[in-house]
Amino acid sequence: MQDGETLAEWQTGTDEEKPANSREKGLNRVLHILDFLHATQRAIGIGELAKGVNAPRSTTYTLVRELVDAGLLELAGDGNRVYFGKKLYLYGMAYMRGNDMLRRGRQEVDTLSHETGETSELCMLQSGRYTIIHSSPGTRPFRISSATGLQIPLPWTASGRLLLAGFDRDRIEAMVSEADLILPDGRKLKLDDFIDDIGKARATGYCVTSGLVDAYTKCLAAPVFSALGKVEATMCLVVPIDTSEERTAELIALLRERAARLSIAA
């Protein structure tokens, strides 16, 4: 079987291994497939997918065919690549409708972006990564890179420092790899400094980072709390790095007000 073959040409074959618990292993592999597609953010060939999830090709072909039949994945291009299907989009929309904080959060982010002219985001912790749940672009002539679903290492972001507030050192160390501490420009953050930043963010109730993801922007973030007082999400603004201190202070105050409004009272 080659990546150039279409779904109709795939043969089930014989798995290259006999798992002790095929149902559990099959479910885990389905989750790995979905996670890998989310991480790559593009349609890919089945051979590349099998390699990416470290699974036998025949097993991957079988699982992908079943996921395509179920509408969870769809064929892309000439039929030799796969990506997320419409049914996953519908599931996501149903989740959004059923989650009051996310539904209100989308509205708050859109309103904040409209009022300030800046790129606004609602972010959460997902699979040990800072994840943009919803993004609304600003009105500036240049576009700041931000996309719903984008996942970024926690040390690169202001939100990451708030999302880890209340975590003990051992848990933070387990979530942050050495690679996560290396910024896009090659600089390496010190883990101790990152943990100190988390403590400061927790104490002040907001966080500002400058020039981490790129040299042209800074991120302002404020925490959104659950009913138990845990940081459930963050609202943030991504602004040019040369934004004045006075304007930055105004935006932080507004951001904290909107995040508090979105928080769930205990």
Side-chain angles (χ1 to χ4, degrees):
M1 172 67 196
Q2 302 297 322
D3 285 354
E5 293 178 291
T6 64
L7 182 65
E9 297 173 311
W10 297 347
Q11 302 297 320
T12 56
T14 302
D15 280 350
E16 297 166 26
E17 60 175 28
K18 299 295 183 182
N21 187 333
S22 59
R23 179 176 297 178
E24 180 180 352
K25 201 151 198 173
L27 177 58
N28 287 337
R29 283 195 171 131
V30 166
L31 295 176
H32 290 160
I33 286 172
L34 298 179
D35 284 343
F36 187 76
L37 287 173
H38 183 240
T40 56
Q41 295 284 301
R42 61 182 175 84
I44 62 175
I46 309 305
E48 182 183 354
L49 180 59
K51 183 177 180 180
V53 299
N54 193 29
R57 286 192 171 211
S58 57
T59 301
T60 304
Y61 302 148
T62 300
L63 290 175
V64 166
R65 182 175 57 252
E66 292 174 352
L67 291 171
V68 168
D69 289 343
L72 299 176
L73 297 182
E74 290 182 358
L75 298 176
D78 56 3
N80 65 348
R81 293 175 293 124
V82 292
Y83 200 51
F84 293 125
K86 288 184 287 292
K87 187 172 285 188
L88 284 177
Y89 172 77
L90 297 175
Y91 288 161
M93 293 301 294
Y95 174 71
M96 187 68 68
R97 288 192 296 270
N99 189 302
D100 180 66
M101 194 272 283
L102 288 184
R103 186 173 62 253
R104 292 188 297 118
R106 286 169 57 95
Q107 297 171 352
E108 290 286 0
V109 163
D110 290 343
T111 300
L112 186 63
S113 179
H114 177 74
E115 290 179 355
T116 64
E118 307 291 357
T119 296
S120 178
E121 300 171 348
L122 177 70
C123 304
M124 300 181 75
L125 191 63
Q126 173 64 33
S127 301
R129 286 287 188 272
Y130 154 96
T131 303
I132 301 175
I133 301 299
H134 182 64
S135 175
S136 181
T139 57
R140 293 182 178 277
F142 68 94
R143 291 297 182 188
I144 291 173
S145 179
S146 175
T148 298
L150 185 65
Q151 292 188 311
I152 300 174
L154 290 161
W156 297 11
T157 68
S159 288
R161 288 155 173 78
L162 289 166
L163 291 168
L164 296 181
F167 285 35
D168 61 34
R169 185 184 181 96
D170 287 344
R171 190 172 179 190
I172 293 170
E173 288 182 349
M175 294 178 65
V176 177
S177 69
E178 285 293 318
D180 291 339
L181 295 169
I182 301 175
L183 298 174
D185 64 4
R187 287 178 295 154
K188 184 173 182 180
L189 301 175
K190 294 181 180 179
L191 180 62
D192 286 343
D193 291 343
F194 177 56
I195 292 176
D196 286 345
D197 286 346
I198 294 171
K200 293 174 184 176
R202 182 181 184 183
T204 59
Y206 67 91
C207 187
V208 178
T209 56
S210 298
L212 296 187
V213 174
D214 60 56
Y216 310 104
T217 62
K218 60 182 174 182
C219 183
L220 326 176
V224 176
F225 294 98
S226 69
L228 299 177
K230 175 181 176 292
V231 178
E232 186 73 14
T234 62
M235 286 187 67
C236 62
L237 290 167
V238 185
V239 302
I241 200 167
D242 60 357
T243 301
S244 69
E245 291 186 10
E246 181 180 5
R247 176 60 174 164
T248 297
E250 291 174 355
L251 291 174
I252 290 172
L254 181 60
L255 196 58
R256 296 183 72 183
E257 173 196 323
R258 300 303 168 80
R261 188 162 70 183
L262 186 57
S263 296
I264 300 173

